[in-house]
Amino acid sequence: MEELFGASLLSKDGPVPVSTLSQSKYVLVYFSASWCKPCQAFTPMLDMFYDSINSFEKDVEVVYVSRDHTTEEFEEYYGKMPWLAVSYEDCDRRNMLKETFAAKSVPSLYLINTEGVVKKSDCVLDVKNKGPLCINEWNLALVS
């Protein structure tokens, strides 16, 4: 995972080692931006999904990759999110992730395995249309 995200990610309490991702069953990579109207509608849905799935045990972790235009936009938008993020200042890494995941639009949400391989790329639709029930499909995707 360090090849993708570097040594650490941002959390609300400061930097955390990327190795913490291995503690979650489901790791999602979320490309979004504050200026994007569909993102503004989807982020609260993802937040509710995240809270619902993690209500008993931390099963899901999200890594936010910002497509914002300024640090201020990033900080304000990320301030509303409970999950981890790639540092906004690491522009090269954010661009590399955009290319690696072929994230051409926002919002985009990808399920990855412990090696950082994309196992499902249409997770925005899963969260919107199936909510927590999509976990069954994600389990199958992770083992295939």
Side-chain angles (χ1 to χ4, degrees), residues 96-136:
M96 178 274 294
L97 289 166
K98 177 185 163 198
E99 295 301 318
T100 299
F101 286 89
K104 295 181 181 5
S105 63
V106 287
S108 294
L109 187 65
Y110 301 85
L111 174 69
I112 61 173
N113 66 12
T114 55
E115 289 81 41
V117 175
V118 175
K119 299 307 277 183
K120 201 152 187 339
S121 61
D122 56 353
C123 296
V124 168
L125 292 175
D126 288 346
V127 170
K128 279 184 177 180
N129 298 333
K130 301 170 190 157
L133 296 176
C134 70
I135 291 296
N136 294 328

